[in-house]
Structure formats: structure tokens, C-alpha cells
Amino acid sequence: QDTWTMTTTWPSSLELIEGDKHFVDLANKLTQGELSIEFFEGGALVPAGEVFGAVESGSIQAGADWPGYWAGRDPAFSPLATTASLFNAVDYVNWILEWGGADIYNEIYGKFGMVYLPYMVTNNESGFRTNEPIRNLDDLQGKRLRLSGLEQGKLLERLGGNQVSMAGGEIYQSLERGVIDGAEFSTPNVDWSGGFQQVTKYWATPGWHQSASIFGVMINKQSWDALSPETQEKLQIAADATLMWSLAFTEKRASEAYKQFDEAVEINRYDDETLAKVQEMANEVIVETACESPSSAKVYLSMLEYLEDYKGWREASAPFNLGRSPNGPDIEAVRACVDG
Amino acid sequence: MNPELIAVVMFGLLLLGLFMGHPLAFVLGGTAVLTTFIAGKPMVLGIVINRIFGDVLDNFTLIAIPLFVLMARFLSDSGVTDRMFESLRLLMSNIRGGLALAVVFISILLAATTGIIGASITVMGVMALRPMLQYGYAQTLTTGVIAASGCLGILIPPSIMLILMASYSPLSVGELFAGSMVPGVLLGLSYAVYVYLVSVFRPDLAPAVEPDEKISRGALMRMLAFEAVPPLVLILGILGSLLAGIATATEASAIGAFLALLIVIMRGKFHWSTFYSAMLETARTSAMILFIVVGATAFTGVFNITGGLRATQEIIRSLDMAPWLLITMMMVIVFILGAFLDWTGIVLLSFPIFLPIVQEMEISMLWFVVLMAVVLQTSFLTPPFGYALFYLRAIAPKEVRTGQIIRGVLPFIALIVLMCLLVAAIPSLVTWLPARLYTQG
Amino acid sequence: MGITRVLDLINETVGRIVAVIAVVFAAIIIYDVIMRYVFNDPTRWAFDVTKQMFGFYFVMLGGYALKHRSHVSVDLVTETLTPGVLRIVEAAGYIIFFFPFAWVFFTRSWEFATRSLAQAETTYGAVQLPVYPLKISMCVAAGLLLIQGVSEFIKILFGYREPAQ
Ligand code: NA
Ligand code: NA
């Protein structure tokens, strides 16, 4: 029987760790007698930013993550983690399971000697929490906002705000002390547990910076190859089952937290005109980023091809369809950058 | 090899290295490396490097350490703090133990500006140790009051420990900050009361100002205005910029170093040679503190991955007793662990077990965590492994024996235990302020 | 001894240069605070740059601090030992603890740094700063620490080391 050591980028207080625990429990049940995964919460073995390196070097066999943290190693990790105003949760699930997404994850992580099993999806993130209301682009001008991500930062700067990079643990105090004007962090339930309702008065929805997010586990390739095909399949089954569960679980938790927030802060929705403008800027940023990195372009192209392919049936089945077909970036412009 | 045995081997090596007189940083690091081989898991060594880089090199909050040390060096090397303490001593000439009291009160103020253990002890040590010894204060009282008061920085917000505790519990940073404010300040005041009582009943430990040293009221006022007010304004200025939201704790430390330099220049005490030697001293002290962090993070990581974390958790989980006894037991465990482990390790291994139990008991989580934060104050002071002891050892002159430092902190450990009992008996000491600040949520 | 003098000189030189960096990152932080509150025009780079300078600063000073015997130790037992026994205990401390750690620190951070360099790793926000220079300096710093340990060890063996101040 093999024993794996696995850790995550999340500390125990962040609800995101529930997805990791769900996967580990299920995997351990299914692979009894073949594989035992010993799971350590974030920080116990390595700091969040080092989980990638620890799995890559084989110090530990598996590490749970949000792929966007590794965009400094390859910009393609950014669209593998989230998109600015493009995919929703169902789009990610469709794309990963049936439109070739899973292979792309393994191609990008494979460059670093790892196999990747996506197993958690969250839909739209909360958006900015501030002490002055944000309803449109004018309100965004000159604001110093905590925001993570490469495309996200570029988009915010194009819209007139300033991106501030800051570790999760520092956000609360910085909001309280007014060091930043606002912050996005995660989904409503995770934000609530972070106590942001105590230090901000306003919340602007939707979270256009991160329309949906994917989480999963990185597995060292040598450790993966050492498993029997049956064990590998069982891990895949555990990941797929967790993915389906996470969609319902995280949306339920987000709804509960939304109600709590609604009583604690003022919630404003951007008007349609603003959102159309954001979409236009997001499209530009996506094309620009894709054209700076061929591997990033490859990921975006695959995503855009999915959207195009799915568009006909999705629109025909309206209003009973799953999500929207976005007025997204120019697919030909991205295609031209794939080999560039 | 079973995990319990590996954990015992690790503590054994730690103690062996400490008593061999080898530098603490490398005892911790060396123990981590040897343990991976003893446990037959050399492949996990990579996490040592991951931890050193991610926890220490790539860490914005730790920048405050060299900057606060630099501030203290500017002020002390140019004689500014010596004069400040001299004038404070004369001001309090009618109060027994005036200088020690000044140390406590300045520490409480400093505590509100910094939240990293090495920073405040080093600052107080560099500034106050020499004047106190010079004026005849006993070595035990001097080192004890500096070490204990210097640790207040990590209980009185802002504090890196409370931030970590928040990220490993369902509590927010704000609630924890507000909750530990009252117990932190009370603990500081209890130090002041203790110091006063000692100097009344044991004048040989804290000599009074001789009558012929006393100066006229006018001369004293002038002296205070020139010598004591600027450095105190500096400390209040840092605190103010923090509270007014102009700067984060790290930024406040940079502002502090800059203002200190300004004071030195305005006093006409600026010389390039002292400026440069302050930088060199800061370099050595900062490297000393931060390499201990390097060693400690290596030690904790290996302790966790080789099974020490799980083994300790199993022991705690097996406890089965009445709630109040269980909480007492938990605090005793934290106290004992504090003698051997650093606080990050303790929080990491105890929170996942303690907090679910506390949640089931339906008692205030905030109260429990703050109580534990107060108990953890002892971990900095209890030998053999206490950061305050090490930092003070590094700053104190050779003639102050390590045994004296340890004897000096013992009464303060007792005061912390008393404060724990008080917080345990009166939970509103913790819950009152957060309830007023955060009505919802 | 020639060799210890050379090794000491290397770390002394590095220490005397690197020590100045504390003032530089203090200045950058203050500049950023002023730009933010007085001119409402914060820098985009100050946060990452100061963080990296800090990491470089303290890690490069490890060997320098060792040369000056600034790394704190507990003298409860050792102050009762005779000079001869003390020398043996000190040398043993280096063999048991220092060298295993410093060797692992050096070799493993070499792998760590070369991997980052091969990937041309950067930070992941809108401002993309390279990360590998800091990782390479960690490896260099580990090397400096290691050679200073060799120097101290030789001095202990041959009784050339003066007592710590
Ligand atoms: Na503090
Ligand atoms: Na201790």
C-alpha cells in the first residue's frame, strides 16, 4: 500500500479547504488497501506559495491549489484558475469534462512534472467590498483595491483603479486602517468568515474580475505513474464526484452568506452599461495577455472554441439554458497568437 | 520508526544542541535535517527550503524587524535614549523603581506599534538595558522586566500571532485584536504594580534616586522637554500613523526609523561613522533574529511532516474529562509545549483539535483563543526554549549571566499565570470590547 | 591561518555592503507612503521590491553574523567547561548541527534556484517582477554561511578563536 502526503494552499479556517477534505475522504474510501492519503492543512508543511514547488520536487506527493497562484511560472495557469467575465461554473465543468479542458490542465501542469485533477468549482466571486459605494466606473477611479491575478490587475487598471497585491491575512487590517479602499477576496461565505462585513459598508456585485474558479490537486508525475491504472481511475472518480458536489455545495453556502450580508451591508449592482464596458475591456485584456504567451493563448483558444461550439444549442434552449454565451473576445485574434 | 519516538528524538536533539552552546538557529536547522534522516524520509528535506523561502524571505511583515532595530540603534548609539531614561528617572525620582516603571509603560506603547516578537524586545533591550544596569538595578529585575514587557507586543494588537490565530480559527482579525486588548494592557499594568512593589520592599534591587542627584523643577522640565519628549513623541507618532490609517505596521516601522534619524540630526549627534556602525549593528542583530526564524520554520515543518504533529494531536484527543477540567488541561498543555516549541508550532498543532471541542462545548471561542494567547505569553519566557531569553542573551553584556536572565523572568511568568486565571474567571475582560466595536457579525 | 583570513574577508566585505540595504528599503517604504498620501499616486512596485530587498538583506548577512558570533546561543552549561573541553564541544556542535544544516541549505536551495531560473519565474500580479534573483541569492547566501562555518570550525580546531565579546 502506498502512502501519500498531501497539503493545500488553504488554512483550516477558509471554507475552500472543504473541497480538499471532501476529495481526500472519498479517495481514501475508494482506494482502501491500495493508497492512503495523509492530508495536512495549509501552512502545516509548506507556506501556500510553495505548495507547487514541494509537489514539483517530489518532497510531497500531492498538493491542493487554485491554479492562478502559479501564473508567475506560466501565464496559462491564470485562465486554468479563473476568467475575467468569461466562464461560469457550468462552462468550466463542460469544458473540462467534455470539451478537452482536462487534457489542457495536464499539458500545462505536465510541463512541471505533475498531473492535475480539477475537483472543485465555485461560481461567481463576491466582488469588491468598500467603504464608499461603487455603482459604476466613475466610482472606481483612483481606488486602491486589493485584487489578485494578472488579467484581473490589468483589467482593473484599464478601468481606472489600482491593483494592490496583499496576502489574505493582511486584508482585514488594511481595510480597517484605510490602507486600501476596498478588497475582493473570495465567495460570499468565505468573505463572511473573514469578517469583511465588520470593516466595510458596501459590496458591489457581480464579481466581474473572477466569473468562476477552479480548484484541484497537483500530483507528482512519478507518484502518479507508480499507481496501478485501477487506483488512478478511482482517484479520477473521486475528483469527478467532488466536482459535482462542489457546484451545489458552494452555491448553497454562497446563498446563505448573501442573505447574511444583505442585512449587514449595502449591496449595489453595477448597471448594465457598466457591465458591457467591463466586458469590452476584459476582452481586450484577454487578447493582450494571450498574445504575450503562446501557452496562455492555447488555453484561451480552447475555451473560446468551446463557447462558440456550445453557443448554438445554449441559445436555442433559452430560457432553460445553462448560463450565458458571452459577447467574448475576438477568437481569431487569439488564434493568431497561439503560434506566435 | 514511530512518530512519538521521532518527536522525542527531535526534542532530545534540540536540548542537546542548546546545552552544547551551539547557536540556536543552527541547532534548530540541524535538528530538522538530522531528523529527516533518522525518520528515513530524506526526500522531505525539500520542504525545509520551501519554508525558509516562503515563510521568511518572502514575508512582508518581517521587514519591521530590521527597521525597528535600526530605529533603536539610531536612538541609543547617539545617546538619545540614555538621556531620555535619565530624565525619566529624575522625573520619577519620588516614585520607587521609576526607571523600571518607565520601561513597562514605554513597552506598552511600543507594543501597540509592533507585533513581532523579536522587534519590541530588541528595541527595549538596546535602549533600556544599559541605563538600568548603570543606575544599579539588579540584573534579574532589569532583564526580567525588559523580557516580559517586550513580549507584550505580541498580545497587544497589532500582533502577528493574533493574525495567524485568526487565519486558523473562525474568528476575524478584528475580533481577536479587540479581544486581547484589555487582557494585554492589564497584564502590562500588573507588571508595573509588581515592579513598584519590588522596589518598595527590596530597595536593593531597584535603588532610589539619591537626594543629591535631584535637580530643580525648572531644570527637570527643561531636561524633559529636550530629552524625553522627542523620543516619546516619536513612539506616539508611529502609533498615531498606524491608528489614523496612514500606514500598516510594516510601514510604521520605516517611519519610526526615519523619525529617529531626524531626532539624532536635530540633536546635532549625527556622525557618518555612528550612522554606519548603527547599520552594521542592525545587520548583525537582524540576521541573528531572522536566522532563528529560519531554523524554527525548518524545525516545525519537519516536526509536522514526520508525524510529531499527528502524535501530539492524538495524545490531546485521547483526553476525556469534564469541560472546565478539559480547558484547564488544554491550557496546561499549551504551557508545557511553550517550554519546547515556538508559538507557530503550538497554534498549528493545537487549534485543529482544541477548536472543534470548544465549539461543541458552546463556550465563547473568542474567550478561549484569547485565553490561549495569554498563556502563550509564557512560551517566550519559559526555559529552555524562550525567544525572549534568547534575544536578551544576544543583547545583554557578557557579565549578565544566562541564569540571571532566567531567574529574572520567573516572577513575570507567575504574573501571566495569574492573569490567565483572571481572564478565565471574568470572560467579559475579553468579550466586552469586541461586543462594543462589532455589533453585527 | 591564510584560509580563514580569506573566508573571513569575504563575509566581512559582503556584510559591510549588504548592511546598507536596510536604509534603502526603509527609504523606499517611506517614499511609497508619501506618494500615496501626499500625492495620491502610489507606486505599483514598492511592495514587491521592498519585500525582495528585505529577503536579500537578511539572508546574505548570515555568514557575516556568524563571523561576528552574533548568532545567539545558551551558555548555561558551556560557561562551566574548561577551555579544552569547550573546544571539543564547540567543534562537535558544528559537526552535528551546523554542517548538516548548512550543506542541505546550500545544495537544496541550488536546486530550488535553478528550477526557478529555468522557468523564468515572476510574481503573478499585474506587475511581474522576476523571482529567481532572490532564489539565487538564497543559494549564494547559503554558500557564504557554509564557508564562514568552515572558517569558524578551523579556528576552533586550532584554537585561533577569541572568546565572544
Ligand atoms: Na503589538
Ligand atoms: Na518557552
Side-chain angles (χ1 to χ4, degrees):
Chain A
Q1 180 188 343
D2 275 339
T3 304
W4 280 6
T5 302
M6 170 170 164
T7 190
T8 173
T9 48
W10 316 117
S12 54
S13 68
L14 277 193
E15 219 172 82
L16 294 169
I17 203 173
E18 293 306 318
D20 306 329
K21 289 181 175 167
H22 195 273
F23 167 76
V24 172
D25 283 347
L26 204 48
N28 275 335
K29 273 181 207 154
L30 291 174
T31 63
Q32 231 163 29
E34 302 155 45
L35 174 69
S36 160
I37 302 176
E38 194 183 4
F39 178 72
F40 291 85
E41 66 197 39
L45 302 186
V46 292
E50 295 295 319
V51 176
F52 187 96
V55 178
E56 183 188 17
S57 65
S59 300
I60 57 176
Q61 288 73 39
D65 74 341
W66 174 67
Y69 285 144
W70 325 125
R73 299 174 193 251
D74 188 329
F77 283 116
S78 187
L80 292 183
T82 186
T83 56
S85 303
L86 199 64
F87 267 23
N88 70 7
V90 167
D91 288 323
Y92 265 117
V93 172
N94 283 345
W95 176 62
I96 288 170
L97 295 182
E98 288 298 330
W99 266 271
D103 292 339
I104 293 201
Y105 280 86
N106 281 313
E107 184 184 328
I108 305 292
Y109 277 96
K111 289 187 197 171
F112 302 90
M114 293 188 273
V115 168
Y116 195 74
L117 302 179
Y119 61 54
M120 182 159 89
V121 62
T122 61
N123 203 45
N124 192 213
E125 287 216 337
S126 314
F128 290 116
R129 306 189 175 283
T130 55
N131 277 309
E132 281 175 38
I134 294 180
R135 298 187 183 88
N136 51 46
L137 291 183
D138 286 341
D139 296 335
L140 212 54
Q141 300 309 306
K143 290 261 190 315
R144 287 169 46 78
L145 300 166
R146 187 272 177 187
L147 174 72
S148 65
L150 170 61
E151 284 89 334
Q152 287 69 22
K154 284 183 176 177
L155 176 53
L156 179 62
E157 292 188 355
R158 229 169 252 239
L159 294 169
N162 294 304
Q163 180 183 28
V164 181
S165 305
M166 187 174 281
E170 291 171 0
I171 304 174
Y172 183 98
Q173 209 192 342
S174 302
L175 280 171
E176 190 178 38
R177 304 236 189 270
V179 173
I180 49 178
D181 299 314
E184 63 79 28
F185 184 52
S186 184
T187 52
N189 49 315
V190 179
D191 286 3
W192 182 270
S193 66
F196 294 109
Q197 67 283 5
Q198 295 163 354
V199 284
T200 53
K201 296 192 198 79
Y202 299 94
W203 169 16
T205 66
W208 43 257
H209 65 292
Q210 226 168 306
S211 50
S213 313
I214 282 287
F215 308 80
V217 61
M218 308 176 271
I219 298 169
N220 185 282
K221 184 82 164 55
Q222 285 180 334
S223 310
W224 174 261
D225 289 343
L227 299 176
S228 70
E230 292 76 31
T231 311
Q232 290 177 350
E233 194 179 357
K234 285 173 184 171
L235 290 182
Q236 185 66 61
I237 292 168
D240 290 345
T242 305
L243 190 64
M244 192 64 219
W245 162 83
S246 71
L247 179 60
F249 173 77
T250 56
E251 282 298 273
K252 173 136 193 299
R253 292 290 298 119
S255 308
E256 288 164 0
Y258 177 81
K259 284 175 207 143
Q260 289 176 294
F261 269 110
D262 205 12
E263 286 175 12
V265 304
E266 183 183 316
I267 305 175
N268 293 301
R269 214 185 123 74
Y270 298 95
D271 53 52
D272 290 348
E273 189 191 348
T274 302
L275 287 176
K277 184 76 183 163
V278 170
Q279 182 71 59
E280 193 183 307
M281 295 286 178
N283 294 344
E284 285 177 28
V285 167
I286 287 172
V287 173
E288 182 191 300
T289 313
C291 289
E292 285 167 3
S293 151
S295 63
S296 174
K298 188 171 178 187
V299 178
Y300 275 119
L301 178 62
S302 172
M303 295 172 114
L304 294 175
E305 282 173 343
Y306 149 77
L307 287 174
E308 200 172 59
D309 194 44
Y310 183 38
K311 187 176 181 180
W313 165 237
R314 173 142 69 180
E315 293 192 348
S317 54
F320 312 108
N321 55 342
L322 296 173
R324 61 171 199 148
S325 286
N327 185 14
D330 179 2
I331 189 166
E332 293 314 318
V334 172
R335 197 190 307 279
C337 290
V338 168
D339 305 314
Chain B
M1 207 178 200
N2 74 23
E4 291 83 358
L5 198 56
I6 295 171
V8 170
V9 167
M10 276 194 96
F11 287 126
L13 281 170
L14 179 63
L15 291 184
L16 174 72
L18 280 181
F19 289 129
M20 282 173 74
H22 196 65
L24 170 68
F26 309 118
V27 172
L28 286 164
T31 300
V33 169
L34 293 180
T35 304
T36 60
F37 287 99
I38 294 170
K41 290 183 175 173
M43 58 284 194
V44 304
L45 269 179
I47 71 161
V48 167
I49 304 302
N50 292 130
R51 287 181 73 95
I52 293 173
F53 184 82
D55 281 344
V56 199
L57 272 88
D58 190 28
N59 188 332
F60 191 72
T61 50
L62 293 180
I63 303 181
I65 288 182
L67 296 178
F68 270 119
V69 174
L70 194 62
M71 174 183 91
R73 274 288 156 204
F74 283 157
L75 292 176
S76 77
D77 291 3
S78 57
V80 170
T81 43
D82 284 10
R83 301 281 293 157
M84 172 182 87
F85 278 109
E86 191 188 336
S87 58
L88 286 175
R89 175 172 165 269
L90 291 174
L91 170 71
M92 302 216 215
S93 61
N94 294 324
I95 305 168
R96 294 210 158 265
L99 206 45
L101 285 176
V103 167
V104 175
F105 288 118
I106 293 173
S107 291
I108 294 176
L109 285 178
L110 260 181
T113 68
T114 171
I116 300 162
I117 181 67
S120 35
I121 289 184
T122 317
V123 168
M124 284 319 287
V126 166
M127 296 195 311
L129 195 65
R130 192 174 46 187
M132 278 188 76
L133 292 177
Q134 213 171 1
Y135 289 118
Y137 280 78
Q139 291 182 355
T140 48
L141 183 63
T142 304
T143 53
V145 74
I146 292 175
S149 314
C151 298
L152 288 172
I154 206 139
L155 186 59
I156 297 173
S159 150
I160 182 146
M161 181 174 86
L162 297 175
I163 290 175
L164 186 96
M165 286 177 143
S167 81
Y168 283 90
S169 71
L171 301 163
S172 73
V173 179
E175 287 169 304
L176 267 180
F177 276 12
S180 57
M181 181 65 102
V182 174
V185 173
L186 276 183
L187 186 60
L189 294 179
S190 78
Y191 293 168
V193 171
Y194 168 76
V195 164
Y196 178 74
L197 292 177
V198 164
S199 47
V200 168
F201 291 105
R202 292 287 306 276
D204 53 317
L205 298 180
V209 178
E210 299 293 329
D212 60 334
E213 277 184 275
K214 290 188 181 167
I215 55 177
S216 73
R217 181 174 283 265
L220 176 63
M221 284 302 142
R222 263 196 308 281
M223 193 170 172
L224 276 176
F226 283 101
E227 311 293 355
V229 172
L232 289 177
V233 166
L234 166 111
I235 292 170
L236 291 173
I238 304 171
L239 183 58
S241 64
L242 200 71
L243 292 179
I246 295 170
T248 61
T250 302
E251 291 166 344
S253 66
I255 295 171
F258 175 70
L259 293 180
L261 186 60
L262 271 189
I263 291 176
V264 171
I265 292 171
M266 288 190 320
R267 285 291 171 73
K269 297 272 177 62
F270 181 86
H271 302 287
W272 283 105
S273 60
T274 46
F275 182 61
Y276 186 53
S277 72
M279 282 189 237
L280 294 180
E281 286 286 347
T282 303
R284 294 196 278 266
T285 308
S286 304
M288 180 270 290
I289 296 174
L290 290 159
F291 267 82
I292 293 177
V293 185
V294 164
T297 195
F299 184 93
T300 307
V302 171
F303 180 77
N304 291 349
I305 204 168
T306 54
L309 178 70
R310 290 270 191 273
T312 321
Q313 289 178 339
E314 288 306 319
I315 293 170
I316 300 173
R317 227 174 248 131
S318 64
L319 299 172
D320 183 26
M321 46 184 74
W324 69 270
L325 197 58
L326 192 56
I327 290 181
T328 312
M329 218 34 226
M330 288 175 180
M331 293 304 152
V332 170
I333 289 171
V334 170
F335 181 85
I336 294 171
L337 284 175
F340 301 98
L341 270 182
D342 93 313
W343 60 269
T344 41
I346 300 172
V347 169
L348 220 60
L349 75 83
S350 66
F351 266 34
I353 309 166
F354 286 178
L355 297 192
I357 300 176
V358 169
Q359 211 140 29
E360 274 172 36
M361 280 192 228
E362 291 182 347
I363 54 172
S364 161
M365 175 83 75
L366 180 66
W367 168 79
F368 178 85
V369 172
V370 172
L371 184 62
M372 194 168 143
V374 178
V375 177
L376 276 175
Q377 282 281 296
T378 63
S379 74
F380 304 114
L381 302 172
T382 46
F385 191 92
Y387 280 140
L389 306 176
F390 297 128
Y391 294 138
L392 218 59
R393 171 70 281 162
I395 298 161
K398 197 71 188 159
E399 57 268 22
V400 178
R401 312 292 285 266
T402 307
Q404 300 286 83
I405 300 178
I406 293 174
R407 284 212 349 244
V409 299
L410 292 180
F412 292 92
I413 295 174
L415 286 173
I416 298 170
V417 172
L418 278 179
M419 183 53 60
C420 293
L421 295 176
L422 193 67
V423 168
I426 314 173
S428 59
L429 289 177
V430 175
T431 51
W432 175 78
L433 189 59
R436 291 210 48 168
L437 289 178
Y438 308 113
T439 42
Q440 85 278 357
Chain C
M1 293 263 300
I3 179 77
T4 60
R5 221 170 290 141
V6 172
L7 299 178
D8 286 3
L9 183 68
I10 295 172
N11 269 303
E12 185 66 28
T13 312
V14 170
R16 283 178 171 268
I17 296 168
V18 172
V20 179
I21 295 176
V23 176
V24 179
F25 61 70
I28 294 177
I29 292 174
I30 290 167
Y31 171 80
D32 186 47
V33 172
I34 293 173
M35 287 307 284
R36 185 164 80 222
Y37 282 96
V38 182
F39 300 100
N40 200 20
D41 181 22
T43 65
R44 298 163 79 235
W45 46 268
F47 176 83
D48 285 309
V49 169
T50 48
K51 195 167 70 169
Q52 293 203 358
M53 284 178 90
F54 157 78
F56 177 79
Y57 167 79
F58 96 81
V59 81
M60 293 298 271
L61 291 167
Y64 172 73
L66 186 63
K67 172 177 180 282
H68 287 269
R69 304 185 65 183
S70 303
H71 290 295
V72 64
S73 58
V74 177
D75 55 3
L76 271 178
V77 175
T78 50
E79 66 184 3
T80 65
L81 301 176
T82 62
V85 178
L86 181 62
R87 246 169 70 189
I88 296 170
V89 170
E90 284 192 325
Y94 271 86
I95 293 171
I96 300 173
F97 295 103
F98 181 89
F99 287 117
F101 172 72
W103 179 252
V104 164
F105 189 23
F106 177 62
T107 53
R108 292 289 177 139
S109 58
W110 168 260
E111 292 164 27
F112 187 71
T114 48
R115 216 179 287 130
S116 174
L117 181 63
Q119 296 166 10
E121 186 187 354
T122 65
T123 55
Y124 72 93
V127 180
Q128 292 167 283
L129 278 182
V131 176
Y132 50 87
L134 184 59
K135 293 191 171 176
I136 293 170
S137 38
M138 180 164 82
C139 176
V140 173
L144 287 170
L145 182 68
L146 187 60
I147 61 169
Q148 191 59 41
V150 170
S151 171
E152 298 302 309
F153 186 66
I154 294 173
K155 283 187 259 180
I156 291 167
L157 280 190
F158 293 90
Y160 285 158
R161 198 151 85 140
E162 310 105 55
Q165 78 280 42

